[in-house]
Amino acid sequence: EAGVAQSPRYKIIEKRQSVAFWCNPISGHATLYWYQQILGQGPKLLIQFQNNGVVDDSQLPKDRFSAERLKGVDSTLKIQPAKLEDSAVYLCASSLLYARGYEQYFGPGTRLTVT
Amino acid sequence: DAKTTQPPSMDCAEGRAANLPCNHSTISGNEYVYWYRQIHSQGPQYIIHGLKNNETNEMASLIITEDRKSSTLILPHATLRDTAVYYCIVRVGVDSWGKLQFGAGTQVVVTP
């Protein structure tokens, strides 16, 4: 089965610019997650969707970050305006609603560099 | 969720068993122990999870102490491809609402 797809794989922008990341989860997976991974740290959950509804966005910096999951499939994560500290890898993951361990399947990530 | 403590790094010889410890002394009765790993430049990958019984799958074995305050992930025959950061995570329940809170993990280097 195809894995979680993300694009772009790399992005370099200047501070105060905007950027968007796209994620296509595994077919049939109702739950979608966006994580931020700063170099040397473990991933941090930003937002979790159940179908097209938000379950948890408590760690999403809502003044600059936004995310949507239209039609309960693909999702986009946007940063506007970007800051230097947003430089990180942004990981998308998906999982079945009911499955063994509700294991999350991760995409390869988008590496963002803000200069 | 309870926090976990892992050694920052460990080395393992190829072909030998790798035993990765994890302390979770404040774990609650409804929290599961999960292990993920992250190979360089890839997203994390699920390995195994358990509540209180020992578990084994095609990738690894998970040994949880009787008091559930610590666990050990065992890679029975480490290969060079097992070089990765290994994360031990405790998570409430097995439903999708349980967060995965990653720590810094253990960097495992398998050497020839």
Side-chain angles (χ1 to χ4, degrees), chain B residues 27-92:
Chain B
I27 192 170
S28 300
N30 63 345
E31 288 181 319
Y32 287 68
V33 179
Y34 280 75
W35 284 84
Y36 278 73
R37 74 179 184 183
Q38 188 171 23
I39 295 170
H40 183 62
S41 295
Q42 297 183 20
Q45 175 191 23
Y46 167 86
I47 301 174
I48 199 167
H49 78 284
L51 181 62
K52 54 185 178 181
N53 297 321
N54 297 337
E55 302 287 346
T56 296
N57 63 19
E58 63 279 4
M59 289 183 68
S61 295
L62 174 60
I63 309 298
I64 302 174
T65 58
E66 191 168 344
D67 63 7
R68 303 209 323 123
K69 293 185 177 182
S70 65
S71 61
T72 301
L73 179 74
I74 301 173
L75 308 177
H77 303 287
T79 71
L80 298 180
R81 288 174 293 181
D82 292 323
T83 292
V85 177
Y86 287 76
Y87 298 100
C88 172
I89 302 162
V90 294
R91 180 186 189 189
V92 175

Side-chain angles (χ1 to χ4, degrees), chain A residues 25-99:
Chain A
I26 293 173
S27 177
H29 281 196
T31 310
L32 185 146
Y33 314 78
W34 282 102
Y35 289 83
Q36 179 193 59
Q37 185 171 24
I38 293 171
L39 186 64
Q41 300 180 16
K44 181 182 81 171
L45 180 69
L46 292 177
I47 189 168
Q48 177 179 345
F49 291 93
Q50 190 68 38
N51 296 308
N52 59 351
V54 175
V55 173
D56 185 346
D57 63 357
S58 58
Q59 298 194 85
L60 186 73
K62 299 180 186 63
D63 58 334
R64 298 185 299 106
F65 286 64
S66 64
E68 61 181 9
R69 190 183 185 197
L70 300 177
K71 301 182 181 179
V73 182
D74 293 4
S75 177
T76 56
L77 176 70
K78 297 179 182 178
I79 308 174
Q80 182 180 12
K83 293 184 176 181
L84 295 177
E85 59 261 36
D86 298 332
S87 293
V89 175
Y90 290 85
L91 294 159
C92 179
S94 69
S95 66
L96 285 168
L97 183 57
Y98 299 107

